[in-house]
């Protein structure tokens, strides 16, 4: 069995399919950075407050780490590098979520629906899920071939 087909068997997809996914992820990350920071910019989102710049650094860092990781995977994607990159992306994303929770740069107005509660629940789920993902990776990565 060749190394390429062996890698495909282990991960369930071909190298070409994985690389196509990495390209899509890089394009989405780049588009998000542009949309948040250039046009139309975070200021055009009506429910974001003037506190948003306090979280933008970590949000941008999270996107940039994901973008860099996916660029690295395009060149070379051994399992250990993918694990390292995904863990780094999740860790920076976790910090961004925690900063958003602390700052809560949202103003949903006085409508009848409790949007702040929904957003807090979603942020909490993201924080817990990210923490679990990091722990699982730390405990399972050393056992992977």
């Amino acid at each position: 069995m060749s190394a390429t087909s062996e890698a495909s068997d282990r991960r369930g997809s071909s190298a070409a399919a994985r690389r196509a996914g990495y390209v899509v992820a890089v394009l989405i990350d780049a588009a998000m950075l542009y949309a948040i920071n250039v046009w139309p910019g975070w200021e055009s989102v009506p429910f974001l407050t003037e506190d948003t710049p306090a979280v933008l650094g970590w949000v941008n860092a999270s996107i940039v780490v994901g973008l860099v990781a996916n660029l690295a995977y395009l060149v070379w994607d051994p399992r250990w590098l993918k694990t390292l990159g995904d863990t780094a992306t999740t860790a920076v994303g976790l910090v961004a979520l925690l900063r958003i929770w602390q700052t809560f740069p949202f103003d949903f107005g006085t409508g009848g629906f409790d949007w702040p509660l929904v957003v807090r629940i979603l942020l909490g789920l993201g924080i817990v899920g990210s923490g679990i993902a990091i722990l699982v990776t730390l405990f399972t990565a050393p056992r992977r071939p």
Side-chain angles (χ1 to χ4, degrees), residues 30-112:
M32 286 179 15
L33 281 171
Y34 186 80
I36 291 169
N37 296 290
V38 180
W39 184 86
W42 69 267
E43 299 93 345
S44 67
V45 180
F47 57 83
L48 292 178
T49 70
E50 65 278 352
D51 293 332
T52 300
V55 302
L56 268 184
W58 284 108
V59 170
N60 283 334
S62 176
I63 297 168
V64 168
V65 169
L67 189 144
V68 169
N70 281 293
L71 284 172
Y73 305 154
L74 271 172
V75 176
W76 192 43
D77 73 340
R79 189 175 292 226
W80 69 266
L81 181 62
K82 185 91 170 72
T83 300
L84 180 65
D86 291 351
T87 303
T89 302
T90 303
V92 177
L94 174 58
V95 174
L97 288 170
L98 288 167
R99 187 69 180 129
I100 292 168
W101 179 280
Q102 292 169 340
T103 306
F104 205 74
F106 307 106
D107 181 5
F108 299 105
T110 57

Side-chain angles (χ1 to χ4, degrees), residues 9-20:
D9 291 343
R10 274 196 320 249
R11 296 195 217 174
S13 63
S14 71
R18 288 193 314 274
R19 284 189 173 74

